[in-house]
Amino acid sequence: MSESDIYLLQTLEIQDDINIISFKAPKNAKSLKLNVYVLNSNNNWDVIGGGQVYAEPDSRLEGTFAMMLKDNHAINFNINTIGRVSYQTDALKMENEISASSKSFLRDFQRIEINKELPLAIMIYDSGTMMRAYSLENFFSPSRFKEMDLVQAVTLTFTD
């Protein structure tokens, strides 16, 4: 994001709940698949939402992806390519009151690899008094989150 984009989000006090990413897929990418996961009690990811956008024939898949975290742990998504599509997840109910949270968003340029899942965000919520720092790479080792009350992850996959 540009400095003016960040300034706007800070002015609205939503910089910690929004992730905006520009993407330009390789020429052979035919679709962009969005997956939203929640970690289950067996430390495995369950898909709880998502969607897929297909490239127009003879055009490159590029545009902007935006996600907004809601207070009820629902997530709203917009993908802007040739047109705009929107998705959202349902609200999640928590048994315990959340006292600690951690959010990791993709911030740096990443080379897109076809058919490889790319973690964009991990949100961790817990009723305890301590919270470890987690990276997006922890998505591939979900057992690292086993002590947490709620863990959500968002990924994109560009497919051929």
Side-chain angles (χ1 to χ4, degrees):
M1 290 190 295
S2 70
E3 285 186 36
S4 64
D5 294 337
I6 293 169
Y7 179 76
L8 177 60
L9 295 178
Q10 289 171 337
T11 301
L12 297 170
E13 295 185 355
I14 57 174
Q15 71 273 6
D16 295 331
D17 298 323
I18 298 243
N19 193 19
I20 301 172
I21 296 172
S22 294
F23 60 88
K24 188 172 189 177
K27 291 180 183 177
N28 59 332
K30 302 291 186 229
S31 75
L32 178 157
K33 183 177 181 183
L34 163 70
N35 277 325
V36 183
Y37 297 96
V38 67
L39 193 65
N40 66 29
S41 59
N42 295 322
N43 295 317
N44 294 312
W45 294 114
D46 289 335
V47 176
I48 62 165
Q52 195 158 3
V53 175
Y54 293 89
E56 291 288 319
D58 301 321
S59 69
R60 191 170 201 167
L61 191 55
E62 61 183 295
T64 305
F65 169 86
M67 62 178 275
M68 177 180 242
L69 305 177
K70 308 303 263 179
D71 289 337
N72 59 7
H73 306 292
I75 309 172
N76 292 349
F77 302 95
N78 288 301
I79 301 171
N80 216 351
T81 56
I82 293 174
R84 191 181 105 188
V85 296
S86 298
Y87 302 101
Q88 64 183 7
T89 64
D90 292 330
L92 298 176
K93 294 184 174 140
M94 297 294 302
E95 294 178 19
N96 301 323
E97 186 174 329
I98 299 302
S99 58
S101 66
S102 174
K103 299 169 189 167
S104 298
F105 295 127
L106 181 66
R107 299 282 187 212
D108 298 321
F109 172 82
Q110 297 287 315
R111 182 165 298 284
I112 295 170
E113 294 181 43
I114 296 294
N115 300 320
K116 183 178 179 193
E117 203 162 22
L118 177 64
L120 297 184
I122 293 181
M123 292 73 62
I124 304 112
Y125 305 94
D126 195 61
S127 57
T129 57
M130 292 185 5
M131 177 66 65
R132 289 187 198 151
Y134 295 97
S135 73
L136 293 176
E137 284 302 310
N138 293 141
F139 170 79
F140 299 106
S141 303
S143 63
R144 293 189 57 126
F145 305 110
K146 66 183 172 188
E147 303 289 323
M148 301 294 105
D149 290 331
L150 172 65
V151 182
Q152 296 171 288
V154 178
T155 66
L156 290 181
T157 306
F158 293 86
T159 67
D160 60 358

